[in-house]
Amino acid sequence: MSPDAPAAGTSGTSAPLPAAKGPRVVVVGGGWSGLSVAKYTKKFAPNADVVLVEQRTEFISCPVSNLWLVGAIPLEFLTHDYLQAARENKYTYFNATVTGVDKANKTIATSNGDIKYDYLVLAPGIDYDYSGWTTDPAMEMRLRTEYPAGFIPGSEHISLRNKVQDFEGGNFILTVPGGNYRCLPAPYERACLIADFFKKEGINGKVILLDENPHITIKADGFGSAFEKLYGDYIEYMPSSKIVKIDLDNKKVETELGETIEFADAAFYPHVRGNKLLEKAGVAKDSVFNKMEGNIDVFSYEVVGHPDIFVTGDARPMGFSKSGNTSNSEGHYVAKVIAAKINGNKVKWESPLTVCYSAVTADPMRAISVNAGYAFNAEKKAFGFANASTNEKWDGKDGLNNGKGLISWATGMYNDMFH
Ligand SMILES: Cc1cc2nc3c(=O)[nH]c(=O)nc-3n(C[C@H](O)[C@H](O)[C@H](O)COP(=O)(O)OP(=O)(O)OC[C@H]3O[C@@H](n4cnc5c(N)ncnc54)[C@H](O)[C@@H]3O)c2cc1C
């Protein structure tokens, strides 16, 4: 390669950004993790020049979106403004898709030119892994298009909302994948809220919840009792029901236990994996849970062999809950780690915090909740929950208070990320 030729993956054309005035911290992905890394790095290291590179033009929240599916909250509540976040927090929002990372030259390639970095944070979230169901790209594309999972925001959620709102009756299949999938409680919350909608609208429909796991993976008492007491005629919960065959033309699935289930409509949620950008950047490896998640030091979030690159959020390999609060609180800590490098000091490890409210009815809004930190078990070489507490009483005052808590939690998180 000639010395003037662009490095592999990059274009040789610089992105239209002003020259950096201090150490440049490039954050890829404006989700729950990237937004908090960008804001707090600038706060903890005011001389840093922070650039948030995000492919979306506006933020639409996954948390609370199950309530929007059934018309219980407006889309405006979920939608937020990247430009405002950048203005208020004194960083640059650069709207582009990152296509590669040239680690040797500390440069990322984007759909709108190359950007040099001093520190790089990769917070691109998850991708789906359909390989447990099919390796045929045509079949995978049909699943993605006709029965989207609804676990990555945007068109998938709109498709799912329309499916629910227009549903005329029959079986509506939802699935719970194995592995450490995005948002453990969300498929159960979604089942409750869709069943609630069918019940209220008098739709002769049933949610068939096919769970690959042997039991409800979180808040089991709360969800289990809601399924039984509120939605006995509207939810059929089937544990240990991994799908082994999907016949889209005849609209039926077969489970590992040999059952055949017909469906009128569905949202098939496959296993998750680390976002493919990590693999492309050469910073991924299989974790004990999922394919190709960040290859990082689990305390500092630094990529192994590249202490100037970090991976945070749902793309991390640790067994933390893949949830918004976890990603956001982790972002605060990673910002401290980067600021300490810039400022020449050190920080102590801080546990991420999982706070998660799940609605079980829409009107009145009643919810259950979990609150937990994490501790490292040196023998098992793995993290486990620490100081976990749940409130799974959805009936009575607790449920109503949790319902209010859900909305004020989300409002607080949006404030933290955008103001
Ligand atoms: C239906 C549903 C309900 C949920 N409910 C809750 C809840 O109640 N509470 C809770 O705490 N969590 C909940 N979650 C989980 C939560 O949404 C995720 O854990 C959280 O979004 C993870 O944050 P992240 O920053 O890692 O990824 P994301 O929020 O997915 O952000 C990743 C960002 O990276 C961008 N990106 C990806 N690739 C590129 C690229 N190449 N170039 C530029 N940009 C890129 C994406 O556009 C995206 O904006 C829910 C999720 C779903 C789907």
Side-chain angles (χ1 to χ4, degrees):
M1 190 168 79
S2 93
D4 297 332
T10 54
S11 64
T13 305
S14 297
L17 285 168
K21 290 204 187 94
R24 178 159 272 173
V25 182
V26 176
V27 182
V28 178
W32 288 66
S33 190
L35 280 160
S36 71
V37 176
K39 170 175 171 176
Y40 287 96
T41 299
K42 187 68 193 167
K43 263 202 183 354
F44 301 144
N47 63 327
D49 181 292
V50 178
V51 180
L52 176 69
V53 186
E54 166 56 49
Q55 64 196 1
R56 293 191 277 173
T57 49
E58 68 287 303
F59 174 96
I60 300 179
S61 173
C62 275
V64 202
S65 66
N66 284 331
L67 283 158
W68 172 72
L69 295 181
V70 297
I73 52 148
L75 187 57
E76 285 73 20
F77 186 69
L78 304 179
T79 309
H80 299 271
D81 171 0
Y82 282 118
L83 296 171
Q84 178 182 23
R87 280 194 306 272
E88 291 197 18
N89 297 299
K90 301 184 175 56
Y91 62 78
T92 303
Y93 156 65
F94 189 71
N95 179 219
T97 300
V98 176
T99 53
V101 179
D102 175 358
K103 300 195 286 289
N105 291 301
K106 296 181 82 148
T107 304
I108 59 163
T110 84
S111 53
N112 192 10
D114 303 340
I115 306 175
K116 280 202 164 290
Y117 61 84
D118 294 296
Y119 298 98
L120 176 65
V121 181
L122 298 173
I126 58 157
D127 268 317
Y128 296 129
D129 172 13
Y130 280 91
S131 63
W133 285 336
T134 182
T135 48
D136 171 16
M139 173 68 172
E140 179 176 329
M141 196 45 73
R142 280 194 69 186
L143 286 169
R144 284 180 182 271
T145 308
E146 296 170 32
Y147 301 101
F151 275 82
I152 295 177
S155 291
E156 290 184 24
H157 282 98
I158 300 172
S159 281
L160 183 54
R161 181 182 152 103
N162 290 338
K163 279 170 181 275
V164 171
Q165 301 280 335
D166 299 341
F167 196 61
E168 287 179 351
N171 290 339
F172 197 115
I173 289 185
L174 297 178
T175 61
V176 187
N180 189 11
Y181 62 89
R182 170 171 274 185
C183 200
L184 296 181
Y188 307 107
E189 177 191 59
R190 187 174 278 173
C192 286
L193 291 173
I194 295 178
D196 189 16
F197 181 80
F198 290 171
K199 196 172 164 181
K200 278 206 188 95
E201 298 292 316
I203 295 167
N204 188 15
K206 199 171 207 182
V207 176
I208 309 284
L209 186 57
L210 297 179
D211 195 337
E212 200 172 309
N213 305 286
H215 44 70
I216 296 173
T217 54
I218 194 158
K219 295 180 256 192
D221 290 345
F223 284 123
S225 63
F227 291 172
E228 194 188 313
K229 293 188 184 145
L230 293 170
Y231 305 120
D233 294 333
Y234 291 89
I235 294 181
E236 190 168 340
Y237 175 63
M238 299 175 67
S240 301
S241 294
K242 185 177 157 88
I243 294 179
V244 289
K245 193 172 171 202
I246 306 179
D247 178 348
L248 292 183
D249 294 324
N250 296 301
K251 293 186 135 185
K252 52 188 185 188
V253 299
E254 272 173 40
T255 72
E256 210 168 37
L257 296 178
E259 288 182 87
T260 300
I261 301 153
E262 295 189 349
F263 60 92
D265 216 334
F268 292 111
Y269 182 10
H271 280 224
V272 308
R273 50 159 291 159
N275 187 292
K276 287 188 182 150
L277 179 63
L278 302 182
E279 195 174 350
K280 216 170 171 189
V283 300
K285 72 170 193 187
D286 291 349
S287 74
V288 291
F289 306 101
N290 299 322
K291 287 187 188 155
M292 292 311 225
E293 299 187 304
N295 181 15
I296 57 174
D297 176 282
V298 296
F299 296 105
S300 69
Y301 293 80
E302 290 167 5
V303 166
V304 173
H306 294 276
D308 50 347
I309 307 181
F310 303 80
V311 176
T312 72
D314 282 0
R316 75 180 89 73
M318 295 82 101
F320 303 150
S321 155
K322 289 194 191 294
S323 68
N325 206 100
T326 317
S327 295
N328 171 281
S329 56
E330 181 181 81
H332 287 228
Y333 166 68
V334 172
K336 280 186 193 164
V337 174
I338 297 169
K341 288 196 178 221
I342 293 172
N343 298 330
N345 46 40
K346 284 209 171 344
V347 286
K348 263 195 173 156
W349 179 76
E350 288 173 22
S351 166
L353 194 60
T354 294
V355 176
C356 188
Y357 292 87
S358 306
V360 297
T361 61
D363 184 17
M365 197 179 296
R366 288 182 286 186
I368 55 182
S369 66
V370 62
N371 196 316
Y374 297 87
F376 190 71
N377 182 324
E379 232 168 72
K380 292 186 182 158
K381 293 201 174 101
F383 288 94
F385 277 138
N387 307 318
S389 65
T390 60
N391 184 335
E392 304 186 45
K393 289 191 220 137
W394 48 263
D395 48 357
K397 270 195 183 150
D398 281 23
L400 293 170
N401 285 339
N402 280 330
K404 287 187 193 127
L406 188 161
I407 297 298
S408 48
W409 166 80
T411 307
M413 295 306 289
Y414 301 143
N415 274 334
D416 185 65
M417 292 186 283
F418 291 93
H419 295 286

